Amino acid sequence: MSGMRGLSVFISDIRNCQNKEAERLRVDKELGNIRTCFKNEKVLTPYKKKKYVWKMLYIHMLGYDVDFGHMEAVSLISAPKYPEKQVGYIVTSCLLNENHDFLRLAINTVRNDIIGRNETFQCLALTLVGNIGGRDFSESLAPDVQKLLISSSCRPLVRKKAALCLLRLFRKNPDAVNVDGWADRMAQLLDERDLGVLTSSTSLLVALVSNNHEAYSSCLPKCVKILERLARNQDVPQEYTYYGIPSPWLQVKAMRALQYFPTIEDPSTRKALFEVLQRILMGTDVVKNVNKNNASHAVLFEALSLVMHLDAEKEMMSQCVALLGKFISVREPNIRYLGLENMTRMLMVTDVQDIIKKHQSQIITSLKDPDISIRRRALDLLYGMCDVSNAKDIVEELLQYLSTAEFSMREELSLKAAILAEKFAPDLSWYVDVILQLIDKAGDFVSDDIWFRVVQFVTNNEDLQPYAASKAREYLDKIAIHETMLKVSAYILGEYGHLLARQPGCSASELFSILHEKLPTVSTPTIPILLSTYAKLLMHTQPPDPELQKKIWAVFKKYESCIDVEIQQRAVEYFELSKKGAAFMDVLAEMPKFPERQSSLIRKAEDVEDTADQSAIKLRAQQQPSNALVLADPQPVDGAPPPLKVPIVSGSTNPESVARSVSQAYGTLSSIDPQTPSPDLLSDLLGPLAIEAAPGAVSTEQHGPIGAEGVPEEVDGSAIVPVEEQTNSVELIGNIAERFHALCLKDSGVLYEDPHIQIGIKAEWRGQHGRLVLFMGNKNTSPLTSVQALILPPAHLKLDLSPVPDTIPPRAQVQSPLEVMNIRPSRDVAVLDFSYKFGTNMVNAKLRIPATLNKFLQPLQLTSEEFFPQWRALSGPPLKLQEVVRGVRPLALPEMANLFNSFHVTICPGLDPNPNNLVASTTFYSESTGAMLCLARIETDPADRTQLRMTVGSGDPALTFELKEFIKEQLITIPMGSRALVPAAGPGPAPAPPVAQPPSPAALADDPGALLAGLL
Amino acid sequence: MGIRFILMVNKQGQTRLAQYYEWLTLEERRALEGEIVRKCLARNDQQCSFVEHRNYKIVYRRYASLFFMVGVDDDENELAILEFIHLLVETMDKHFGNVCELDIMFHLEKAHFMLEEMVMNGCIVETSKANILSSIQLMDKAH
């Protein structure tokens, strides 16, 4: 290894280790060795350092923690010689991530390398930033990187890296690339001759276009040109031809970029593209050479996606389906896999379903392929192509496959079969058959949702009840049945078993004995269901059967002292109830119909789909900008929702409160229970003291029967309980006030985040107009419902929020544009009243919208000739106001200048002869004032930085006042960070900003938004 | 985002090269590599070169004792990645002359240099073998 003997020896040692333990010992020894050497920095030559750092990388690659020496790796970056520097760069980007503190230390060296003259250093530095650069880099480096990318004096080897480096910076901070200035440059870049630069520029384009295709529409014809150059003219240097195919990777990328434009309007561009596509579709032959074959088919499959995306003429589409039909039956497994995958994508295109259906038998064959990858694709395709016409065939195939499918696929398979059966059932008895078969074959993989759903169907369809009961009875004859089957059979027979009474083996006592013989083997949650069924059987036996009654009572007696509360309670209550004659009948009467609701299964399936493969394609199809581009990284939240702050159920271990909540929630108490639910229940629960303040009407002596309908608890939970509206707070992620303050100074970022949702914001300002987009991303695998977003505008802003959908699907992001117009100067803030429901929890947040005064300012730098005449023209109050401000946060002058610049009040250096003073200018836009020049002068006291004199002037008295107050707020408050001690937001109002300025009294009186903003 | 990681693993499941283009903790990497290797090594020649794993798609190719595995986003063009692996192998071949596992093992740094020239931030930068190898040749000459 380039002369690093020690390293080779170490690698050999590792290689010769007989087992993992020996390897670990050797690694530990080496780590100890390196650690000691690093401690004695004095004796460490760059060569040795290099050697040790490679060893660290090697150890890291083997999967061992290397938690030291990072500093040494980073320090090599500043080595003067190439070999050391290179190692420093490469190892740093392997060992560290963007949030690592050491990386910040290197930022200057990296920058110097990028702007320096040494090409090889430039490449190294650009690659590091491209691989692990974070926001810090994005802010300080984007202009330099852009310059390199478009520089005509820069060689391609630097520029291709600059392109991907810029891509990284853009992903970290979309503001790093200014759309207006960059779109033309991007289009020029696509004229590039060098294929390396072109390949990386096309990747950059894909990212930019996926975020905003409109801005880059001039790149569209350029992509077509690239394709013509490669696929038609074969105008490519030899070294970029791969097995005779002109750079297949660039062809694929260019076609990918085209898929982010919704349509191609220009007829000649469209024609040119279709000619190329036609050429690819027709001209791709199967050849012997595997590599050539793969490469040409890579291009072909991308062309297919593009054709589908463009929704081409019918003839071309059927050509595509025909090709795919051929692919799914070839022997080559890769092509078969891709054929199935692309056919699934094709389902989204209308008009082709019928042609795809012709291939159904071939697809079903693939469901039995020895390769699980292919089977998965086939399953997805069958699921997607299923409709009323073929549901029976497909579902039966799925059921058959279920018995042999591997465990990793069974849950998905059974869920999909259940959904298809429900969605496309030609008749309901078939649906019941399917679900029961499903439970029978794969009970372990059938979630509770599936059997709850079948119960709902049977309950709501009288015609189905006798059939379901007899089917349930049949399954009970099997020797071993799955517990889920027992649950559903018991439930159905309890409700509808009496409908079978005339059939042999179906009398109440026969049903009881066949169910009861299974009881000893079941788990605890099933026993309550069986007890309910027994009670129902007893109730349905008219005239009463003393023999059966004796048996069932014995069971109830037995469980009367059961340690499980649920079982004990049911046993006691059913026993008492069953002695009450008519009342017993009343309480245990047949279950009422369920309200119609969206199938929880279908909801769940949407989750599955969204988390699985479809999402990316959907994303592309819908032209949604990727989440990741706008917001920080959306973290998937799996598992249980985090603890709620208001402990709604904390009292429920107390039987009394269970009784109360259960009876009230069910709301169907019969004559036995004189208790009526407190009409104030909801408000009690909503009140902050809900738990402590028990409604007085509930007597502590009350022993009312609970859940007396004898319905399995689980079914209640999912289906009948009226949803309790609970206003709850959730744990917030991040501090709302800090997020707001940060957004006052920048135009995109996160406004609000909790475990369920992230609201991001992106804004563009032009004069008095602003266009904000709210990005609401559901982080969960279940939908957020009752989503509401209401804008409470202050008097000076006109706000128009596009409607927000009521539901945000799982893992989906919705966007809502918000148009803002500034009518007159004011510092008041608009408030977004946002709420949603997750499960049964209502979450509400009032969020200040960062449409603050400074957003309507446009930076403006004046020369002294421009400044002073204007300044003198403003004679004094009310157009020019002066104030001595005390309690100013001490800032060095350059920092203060930065602060001013950050809110678009531009410092004009050198205008004021006194170096302790700052002079600044800006333009304010509103409807009443138009574009209005504002001037300001700050006189600081070098002896006391906590005070200063400020003079602000403009042509409008209100503007002068508001701007002066605004600047004052900025100077005496700390705009962001370091105030994390503000208590975390509770359910209602967000925490107050560090120093709240009362809004102007006039606005306060008549304006609810201003009022609220003031309260915030 | 494209390519998320590139792994080279031998038949015994030992990692010979790992390059990630997204940050995973050591535990996550160990778990991921273990799962993927188990899945891919269990497959035979008659099966396709794509394995779906968690939210990745693994495109893999076997050369003698060595498996090259590339984790990509779900909507990446699989065949393009499959041939990119071959391009990588050809590039290594060109440099080492009939590359083998030992070459990669003992010249880890060269393998890294080549990857660095070919992939950046999960995107393909360069596909010309001559251009990829030019910087390495420059260094070799300097020695």
Side-chain angles (χ1 to χ4, degrees):
Chain A
M1 185 163 197
S2 2
M4 287 186 277
R5 227 189 131 257
L7 181 56
S8 302
V9 169
F10 172 62
I11 294 174
S12 306
D13 284 358
I14 291 289
R15 184 162 173 257
N16 294 332
C17 285
Q18 294 298 316
N19 52 41
K20 203 74 195 155
E21 183 55 26
E23 181 187 286
R24 208 179 54 77
L25 286 173
R26 182 67 187 85
V27 165
D28 282 345
K29 186 180 151 204
E30 196 61 40
L31 284 175
N33 181 17
I34 301 173
R35 209 189 295 259
T36 330
C37 291
F38 280 160
K39 271 195 194 139
N40 311 328
E41 175 98 39
K42 273 169 276 174
V43 297
L44 218 55
T45 60
Y47 163 76
K48 277 199 163 167
K49 224 194 227 178
K50 187 174 98 176
K51 185 176 75 181
Y52 291 136
V53 168
W54 271 119
K55 280 186 183 170
M56 279 164 47
L57 181 67
Y58 199 85
I59 292 170
H60 178 74
M61 184 196 77
L62 292 173
Y64 295 93
D65 199 9
V66 181
D67 55 357
F68 66 94
H70 296 168
M71 191 64 214
E72 281 74 11
V74 173
S75 70
L76 278 175
I77 289 181
S78 28
K81 282 216 218 116
Y82 184 74
E84 279 86 38
K85 198 184 249 306
Q86 184 188 34
V87 176
Y89 271 117
I90 289 184
V91 176
T92 299
S93 65
C94 289
L95 292 182
L96 304 189
N97 69 9
E98 62 184 87
N99 299 319
H100 213 289
D101 284 337
F102 287 153
L103 199 58
R104 298 210 177 92
L105 300 179
I107 206 163
N108 260 331
T109 320
V110 175
R111 176 150 198 264
N112 287 336
D113 282 343
I114 286 183
I115 58 178
R117 303 245 156 208
N118 186 323
E119 269 181 352
T120 44
F121 290 6
Q122 280 179 318
C123 288
L124 288 174
L126 289 169
T127 309
L128 175 99
V129 178
N131 283 333
I132 60 165
R135 263 197 96 92
D136 308 350
F137 284 88
S138 157
E139 272 148 24
S140 57
L141 287 177
D144 297 320
V145 176
Q146 290 180 9
K147 241 181 258 163
L148 288 180
L149 176 54
I150 53 173
S151 150
S152 54
S153 58
C154 222
R155 285 212 296 157
L157 84 135
V158 178
R159 293 175 55 217
K160 67 188 179 193
K161 305 222 159 164
L164 289 177
C165 182
L166 187 59
L167 167 62
R168 171 90 183 187
L169 300 180
F170 170 74
R171 286 210 176 116
K172 290 291 145 191
N173 173 17
D175 291 340
V177 177
N178 180 343
V179 176
D180 292 336
W182 191 253
D184 291 340
R185 301 246 156 93
M186 191 67 233
Q188 280 166 25
L189 271 175
L190 298 177
D191 292 329
E192 174 65 42
R193 292 296 302 167
D194 182 90
L195 257 67
V197 179
L198 200 50
T199 305
S200 12
S201 298
T202 317
S203 290
L204 173 63
L205 176 70
V206 168
L208 295 173
V209 171
S210 66
N211 188 40
N212 180 356
H213 63 85
E214 280 159 7
Y216 293 95
S217 55
S218 57
C219 297
L220 192 154
K222 302 289 176 100
C223 291
V224 177
K225 283 249 153 54
I226 296 176
L227 281 176
E228 286 185 305
R229 177 182 162 194
L230 297 172
R232 192 187 65 193
N233 308 345
Q234 314 241 328
D235 170 17
V236 175
Q238 183 51 39
E239 75 236 46
Y240 285 99
T241 325
Y242 181 80
Y243 289 88
I245 318 265
S247 182
W249 301 282
L250 179 53
Q251 290 194 49
V252 165
K253 260 291 182 273
M255 286 193 269
R256 181 57 59 94
L258 286 169
Q259 289 170 61
Y260 285 97
F261 293 101
T263 51
I264 299 182
E265 308 212 328
D266 176 48
S268 62
T269 310
R270 193 177 163 92
K271 185 161 164 276
L273 177 60
F274 276 113
E275 270 174 33
V276 177
L277 291 174
Q278 189 69 41
R279 181 185 288 266
I280 297 173
L281 292 187
M282 298 303 291
T284 308
D285 298 320
V286 178
V287 293
K288 269 223 166 120
N289 183 299
V290 178
N291 301 307
K292 182 173 181 152
N293 223 13
N294 284 340
S296 64
H297 280 78
V299 174
L300 176 59
F301 275 110
E302 202 62 45
L304 281 171
S305 305
L306 181 54
V307 172
M308 285 186 251
H309 167 78
L310 294 172
D311 211 353
E313 290 75 27
K314 190 137 188 158
E315 196 187 327
M316 203 164 188
M317 291 301 249
S318 23
Q319 204 182 333
C320 289
V321 188
L323 264 176
L324 290 175
K326 200 175 88 191
F327 290 159
I328 62 169
S329 48
V330 297
R331 276 193 49 209
E332 221 289 285
N334 286 344
I335 302 294
R336 206 159 66 235
Y337 173 95
L338 293 170
L340 291 166
E341 179 177 55
N342 282 279
M343 222 180 227
T344 312
R345 288 182 188 172
M346 194 140 209
L347 286 172
M348 289 179 194
V349 183
T350 45
D351 296 348
V352 297
Q353 275 92 342
D354 287 337
I355 323 180
I356 292 179
K357 272 191 212 159
K358 289 186 194 144
H359 300 285
Q360 189 170 314
S361 61
Q362 182 59 45
I363 301 167
I364 287 174
T365 316
S366 295
L367 196 59
K368 296 158 189 156
D369 196 279
D371 184 349
I372 183 170
S373 297
I374 290 176
R375 286 199 301 273
R376 273 186 194 284
R377 289 297 108 231
L379 173 60
D380 260 15
L381 179 51
L382 285 173
Y383 179 71
M385 66 191 278
C386 190
D387 62 17
V388 188
S389 74
N390 55 13
K392 264 191 157 166
D393 295 340
I394 290 183
V395 170
E396 269 149 34
E397 282 299 336
L398 296 186
L399 283 175
Q400 210 188 342
Y401 173 39
L402 195 55
S403 331
T404 52
E406 46 274 88
F407 288 109
S408 60
M409 272 181 85
R410 287 195 184 182
E411 183 166 5
E412 191 189 344
L413 194 58
S414 45
L415 183 64
K416 286 190 160 155
I419 291 165
L420 294 178
E422 179 182 332
K423 254 172 141 175
F424 303 115
D427 58 83
L428 286 170
S429 52
W430 176 78
Y431 168 73
V432 171
D433 283 346
V434 169
I435 301 299
L436 292 182
Q437 277 189 59
L438 205 59
I439 297 174
D440 184 38
K441 288 186 171 183
D444 283 343
F445 301 94
V446 173
S447 61
D448 282 346
D449 295 337
I450 295 179
W451 81 264
F452 293 171
R453 192 67 181 158
V454 85
V455 163
Q456 287 176 24
F457 264 102
V458 173
T459 309
N460 288 9
N461 291 282
E462 271 171 45
D463 302 346
L464 202 55
Q465 291 160 359
Y467 180 77
S470 73
K471 275 283 160 186
R473 175 66 188 81
E474 273 175 35
Y475 277 104
L476 287 181
D477 282 336
K478 286 190 134 193
I479 300 161
I481 64 169
H482 193 271
E483 194 162 332
T484 304
M485 183 64 90
L486 183 61
K487 284 185 193 167
V488 65
S489 300
Y491 184 89
I492 291 178
L493 290 173
E495 288 292 323
Y496 311 110
H498 62 280
L499 302 175
L500 304 177
R502 304 236 166 103
Q503 292 178 23
C506 294
S507 71
S509 65
E510 281 165 311
L511 290 180
F512 168 73
S513 34
I514 195 162
L515 285 168
H516 194 56
E517 74 187 32
K518 309 223 161 15
L519 188 137
T521 58
V522 302
S523 62
T524 314
T526 307
I527 297 176
I529 298 176
L530 287 174
L531 294 184
S532 299
T533 302
Y534 298 167
K536 291 243 173 183
L537 287 175
L538 200 55
M539 182 271 290
H540 281 301
T541 322
Q542 294 304 338
D545 174 352
E547 193 61 23
L548 179 64
Q549 193 177 50
K550 218 175 97 196
K551 283 188 205 157
I552 292 180
W553 279 2
V555 179
F556 289 160
K557 276 278 152 210
K558 180 181 159 203
Y559 284 107
E560 205 173 58
S561 51
C562 178
I563 193 159
D564 183 273
V565 180
E566 183 62 42
I567 296 174
Q568 185 192 55
Q569 194 173 351
R570 289 200 195 198
V572 172
E573 285 169 9
Y574 292 150
F575 182 68
E576 291 301 320
L577 272 171
S578 63
K579 290 195 269 188
K580 295 202 188 246
F584 183 45
M585 307 272 288
D586 215 8
V587 172
L588 290 176
E590 200 170 283
M591 286 293 295
K593 286 189 177 174
F594 291 92
E596 278 307 317
R597 56 180 66 233
Q598 197 207 348
S599 165
S600 60
L601 285 186
I602 292 175
R603 279 207 311 266
K604 197 166 161 189
E606 284 163 357
D607 297 359
V608 171
E609 268 171 37
D610 270 13
T611 48
D613 53 339
Q614 298 296 314
S615 57
I617 311 154
K618 266 191 210 150
L619 191 82
R620 234 192 310 152
Q622 295 163 1
Q623 294 295 316
Q624 279 182 349
S626 152
N627 208 342
L629 298 178
V630 184
L631 307 174
D633 40 339
Q635 306 138 334
V637 175
D638 17 36
L644 300 166
K645 280 200 172 164
V646 179
I648 23 163
V649 285
S650 69
S652 57
T653 42
N654 161 6
E656 210 40 57
S657 81
V658 173
R660 212 165 57 235
S661 72
V662 169
S663 60
Q664 286 163 344
Y666 288 20
T668 48
L669 290 194
S670 56
S671 53
I672 319 166
D673 192 346
Q675 190 64 54
T676 45
S678 151
D680 278 344
L681 174 69
L682 204 60
S683 53
D684 284 344
L685 284 175
L686 290 173
L689 296 174
I691 304 300
E692 289 84 352
V698 177
S699 141
T700 45
E701 296 298 313
Q702 192 70 43
H703 285 291
I706 301 148
E709 294 105 321
V711 181
E713 210 65 39
E714 295 91 322
V715 173
D716 295 347
S718 87
I720 358 173
V721 181
V723 174
E724 287 178 60
E725 301 270 349
Q726 298 277 359
T727 298
N728 271 304
S729 77
V730 288
E731 300 268 358
L732 296 180
I733 299 172
N735 180 312
I736 296 188
E738 277 174 29
R739 290 193 189 280
F740 171 75
H741 285 300
L743 283 169
C744 287
L745 298 180
K746 58 181 191 175
D747 285 335
S748 66
V750 176
L751 181 66
Y752 172 85
E753 185 168 5
D754 67 27
H756 310 306
I757 193 165
Q758 186 187 50
I759 306 181
I761 207 162
K762 201 174 173 211
E764 278 172 21
W765 305 94
R766 214 161 274 148
Q768 66 261 39
H769 296 283
R771 186 185 159 86
L772 284 81
V773 183
L774 298 174
F775 296 86
M776 286 157 278
N778 180 356
K779 298 159 66 175
N780 286 300
T781 49
S782 48
L784 299 177
T785 55
S786 306
V787 178
Q788 276 194 339
L790 212 70
I791 291 281
L792 311 172
H796 75 287
L797 292 179
K798 222 168 98 188
L799 293 149
D800 184 15
L801 178 68
S802 311
V804 171
D806 184 59
T807 303
I808 306 181
R811 297 276 166 92
Q813 191 194 53
V814 300
Q815 305 180 2
S816 221
L818 168 65
E819 302 288 345
V820 184
M821 181 155 72
N822 191 19
I823 299 172
R824 59 176 173 275
S826 166
R827 282 169 298 125
D828 298 337
V829 202
V831 171
L832 171 72
D833 185 352
F834 182 80
S835 57
Y836 66 90
K837 214 148 86 182
F838 175 72
T840 58
N841 298 320
M842 200 71 193
V843 179
N844 177 269
K846 301 225 172 21
L847 306 166
R848 283 176 292 170
I849 299 281
T852 42
L853 182 106
N854 59 309
K855 303 282 182 183
F856 304 103
L857 297 176
Q858 223 151 60
L860 171 76
Q861 196 156 44
L862 295 183
T863 62
S864 59
E865 297 81 58
E866 291 160 334
F867 187 90
F868 287 108
Q870 300 278 1
W871 183 252
R872 282 185 216 109
L874 299 166
S875 48
L879 293 184
K880 194 166 169 184
L881 297 171
Q882 190 169 70
E883 184 176 340
V884 174
V885 184
R886 296 182 210 285
V888 174
R889 177 164 56 111
L891 283 176
L893 224 47
E895 274 182 64
M896 191 180 283
N898 280 342
L899 178 65
F900 273 75
N901 287 328
S902 73
F903 51 80
H904 297 171
V905 178
T906 319
I907 299 296
C908 310
L911 289 200
D912 200 302
N914 184 338
N916 289 315
N917 294 353
L918 293 174
V919 166
S921 57
T922 184
T923 315
F924 176 79
Y925 290 87
S926 75
E927 204 176 46
S928 70
T929 60
M932 186 164 278
L933 178 71
C934 307
L935 305 171
R937 182 167 183 231
I938 309 291
E939 296 160 89
T940 65
D941 177 358
D944 180 2
R945 292 237 164 258
T946 65
Q947 59 170 354
L948 50 79
R949 188 163 73 171
M950 170 163 77
T951 315
V952 177
S954 79
D956 181 272
L959 173 56
T960 304
F961 175 78
E962 293 290 330
L963 182 62
K964 183 191 71 158
E965 292 299 313
F966 177 82
I967 297 179
K968 198 162 85 185
E969 282 168 24
Q970 299 300 318
L971 289 172
I972 54 185
T973 66
I974 298 169
M976 54 193 293
S978 69
R979 284 267 176 139
L981 292 177
V982 181
V995 176
Q997 295 287 321
S1000 55
L1004 198 78
D1006 59 355
D1007 184 327
L1011 231 149
L1012 243 166
L1015 291 174
L1016 293 171
Chain B
M1 148 93 197
I3 299 174
R4 306 229 188 183
F5 57 80
I6 297 177
L7 289 178
M8 296 178 203
V9 179
N10 70 6
K11 266 196 315 212
Q12 288 79 44
Q14 295 163 313
T15 307
R16 291 305 181 214
L17 187 140
Q19 175 72 52
Y20 285 79
Y21 297 97
E22 67 180 343
W23 180 256
L24 296 180
T25 64
L26 199 70
E27 287 71 37
E28 289 166 337
R29 293 170 47 152
R30 264 202 299 247
L32 182 71
E33 286 174 27
E35 293 161 6
I36 293 174
V37 167
R38 224 170 302 133
K39 272 195 180 176
C40 292
L41 266 55
R43 295 171 64 86
N44 62 35
D45 294 348
Q46 274 80 55
Q47 296 179 322
C48 68
S49 314
F50 320 120
V51 176
E52 291 159 31
H53 182 75
R54 297 202 220 161
N55 50 342
Y56 301 109
K57 189 169 275 183
I58 317 297
V59 179
Y60 74 97
R61 213 161 167 162
R62 183 179 168 173
Y63 293 88
S65 62
L66 210 53
F67 284 80
F68 287 68
M69 303 164 180
V70 179
V72 294
D73 282 341
D74 197 78
D75 64 345
E76 190 63 45
N77 186 309
E78 295 89 347
L79 287 177
I81 297 295
L82 192 64
E83 284 318 295
F84 186 70
I85 295 177
H86 190 69
L87 178 72
L88 172 63
V89 173
E90 284 189 348
T91 309
M92 289 180 162
D93 247 1
K94 190 170 174 185
H95 182 76
F96 294 112
N98 226 341
V99 65
C100 67
E101 189 184 333
L102 288 183
D103 290 324
I104 295 171
M105 219 180 149
F106 283 98
H107 298 90
L108 185 67
E109 87 285 21
K110 295 234 169 99
H112 268 284
F113 298 158
M114 284 179 218
L115 266 188
E116 167 135 332
E117 290 299 318
M118 296 177 75
V119 186
M120 211 177 130
N121 193 20
C123 297
I124 296 174
V125 203
E126 184 56 81
T127 57
S128 141
K129 290 189 270 275
N131 285 353
I132 297 166
L133 292 174
S134 65
S135 68
I136 299 178
Q137 282 155 356
L138 258 176
M139 278 217 331
D140 283 355
K141 264 186 213 151
H143 267 283

